[in-house]
Amino acid sequence: MNGHVKSMHFQQFMEPATTLLSLLLVMAVDSTRTVAASRNQQCGNSLQQTLKLTRLVQKESVDLIKTYKASQGEMSELFCKVSISDVPDPNISGLEPSERIASIYTHLQVFFPHLKRVYEQQTDLQSPTSQLLTELTVVSTRSRSLAALINKFYQSLFPNLPVPEPAGGATTLPPAQNVFQQKVYGCVVLKTYKDFLSNISRELRTLKNKVCRRTQINTFFF
């Protein structure tokens, strides 16, 4: 068998093998794309659910402030304008998406003791059937559900990173306050929390294109 015949046999052997290899590669790429698309869809659905709850709590926090002011008597409009230092920062920190989401979660955890303190203070100042107490309870309960969604979302995106903990340890609450100070504190806490929820909503919209984008896959053709 001369060299030309051998070359023809080799080509005849390699053509099916090359075709099969190309087919397997295309199938692998399609499978990877399908998995990536499914994960991106799950990511988008989870983010949309979280954003929906954030907007609901944000709306309820706006109504809560109106109810709060209406229940505090004279000078209620001035209470939120007083500057105090014992309220959490409403700003979200971090450069990477993982850091930004972690910041949202830890800030929520920091706000919870303050919301609880406001509720306890208003329990002494309002009647048991007060609408304010009801709205405070609703916002606090939904906020904990929001924290659970943020935590779940964070772990799904970054399974190898530890669950974030509030920076600085235990939350520092203000010392004993008189009635006027309590009214000021409550209004500032609720206003700051409303601002924080607005920041969360804005942040989640920004994160969507960063953490749920379509995965790009390079394909090779023979």
Side-chain angles (χ1 to χ4, degrees), residues 120-205:
E120 292 171 347
Q121 291 177 341
Q122 291 301 311
T123 298
D124 295 333
L125 300 175
Q126 307 295 327
S127 68
T129 58
S130 169
Q131 181 182 351
L132 173 60
L133 297 180
T134 299
E135 292 184 17
L136 276 167
T137 300
V138 170
V139 168
S140 295
T141 301
R142 290 200 203 279
S143 295
R144 291 191 178 277
S145 297
L146 177 60
L149 284 179
I150 293 291
N151 187 10
K152 181 179 178 181
F153 183 57
Y154 177 87
Q155 292 189 62
S156 68
L157 289 175
F158 313 106
N160 297 323
L161 295 180
V163 177
E165 295 291 339
T171 302
T172 302
L173 295 173
Q177 299 169 310
N178 59 39
V179 172
F180 176 78
Q181 291 172 326
Q182 289 179 16
K183 291 183 176 184
V184 169
Y185 168 75
C187 198
V188 175
V189 166
L190 297 182
K191 179 180 180 297
T192 306
Y193 188 57
K194 176 186 69 68
D195 294 340
F196 174 55
L197 291 169
S198 297
N199 291 339
I200 295 178
S201 181
R202 188 181 306 110
E203 187 67 28
L204 292 178
R205 291 196 302 270

